[in-house]
């Protein structure tokens, strides 16, 4: 499957450094052993990882893809509560809240996504 998700808006934002890890399956931040799906968000500033609890997702999610799109972190598809999802959510890092975007027509998991500039427009492409 190759598809894209976009809003045709011009982009005038500069990139910001750092790494963000959101969701997945594994060891909870600072915890012992491995857990089921995570809803946590961690940030690496170049020297250390820290959990950003105000950015935790509204539900657990794994096997999704994530991109920075127009200054927000966008998660596409994946698995929620053991079921394939077509949902798309975005984190507004200025207001520290997640919002649901329109669902895709199909559910998708274990896929890749990237942001591509087409002229002055950003588009999210994904495949799996």
């Amino acid at each position: 499957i190759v598809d894209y998700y976009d809003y045709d808006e011009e982009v005038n934002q500069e990139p910001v450094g750092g790494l963000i890890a959101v969701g997945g399956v594994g060891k909870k931040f600072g915890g012992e052993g491995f857990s089921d799906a995570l809803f946590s968000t961690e940030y690496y500033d170049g020297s250390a990882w820290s959990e950003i609890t105000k950015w935790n997702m509204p539900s657990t999610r794994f096997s999704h893809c994530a991109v920075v799109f127009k200054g927000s972190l966008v998660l596409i598809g994946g698995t929620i509560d053991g079921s394939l999802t077509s949902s798309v959510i975005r984190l507004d890092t200025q207001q520290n809240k997640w919002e649901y975007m329109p669902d895709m027509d199909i559910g998708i998991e274990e896929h890749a996504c990237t942001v591509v500039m087409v002229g002055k427009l950003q588009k999210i492409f994904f495949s799996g």
Side-chain angles (χ1 to χ4, degrees), residues 55-72:
W55 288 2
N56 285 350
M57 294 183 293
S59 61
T60 61
R61 182 183 293 242
F62 63 93
S63 296
H64 56 280
C65 72
V67 293
V68 174
F69 183 63
K70 300 181 182 170
S72 296

Side-chain angles (χ1 to χ4, degrees), residues 29 36 39 102 107-108 125:
F29 187 81
D36 292 330
F39 65 90
I108 188 170
F125 285 85

Side-chain angles (χ1 to χ4, degrees), residues 113-128:
C113 56
T114 189
V115 175
V116 177
M117 292 297 294
V118 180
K120 291 185 176 184
L121 303 177
Q122 276 187 329
K123 299 194 182 279
I124 299 174
F125 285 85
F126 56 92
S127 65

Side-chain angles (χ1 to χ4, degrees), residues 19-37:
L19 296 172
I20 296 174
V22 59
V25 176
K27 184 177 177 182
K28 289 188 177 183
F29 187 81
E32 295 292 327
F34 286 87
S35 68
D36 292 330

Side-chain angles (χ1 to χ4, degrees), residues 101-119:
M101 298 173 73
D103 284 355
M104 299 179 296
D105 291 335
I106 59 167
I108 188 170
E109 66 179 357
E110 298 182 4
H111 53 293
C113 56
T114 189
V115 175
V116 177
M117 292 297 294
V118 180

Side-chain angles (χ1 to χ4, degrees), residues 15-23 29 40-56 68 73 91 93:
V16 177
L19 296 172
I20 296 174
V22 59
F29 187 81
S40 60
T41 301
E42 288 91 35
Y43 176 73
Y44 182 73
D45 64 6
S47 62
W49 284 97
S50 58
E51 185 173 16
I52 304 175
T53 56
K54 64 185 175 186
W55 288 2
N56 285 350
V68 174
L73 178 63
L91 172 63
T93 58

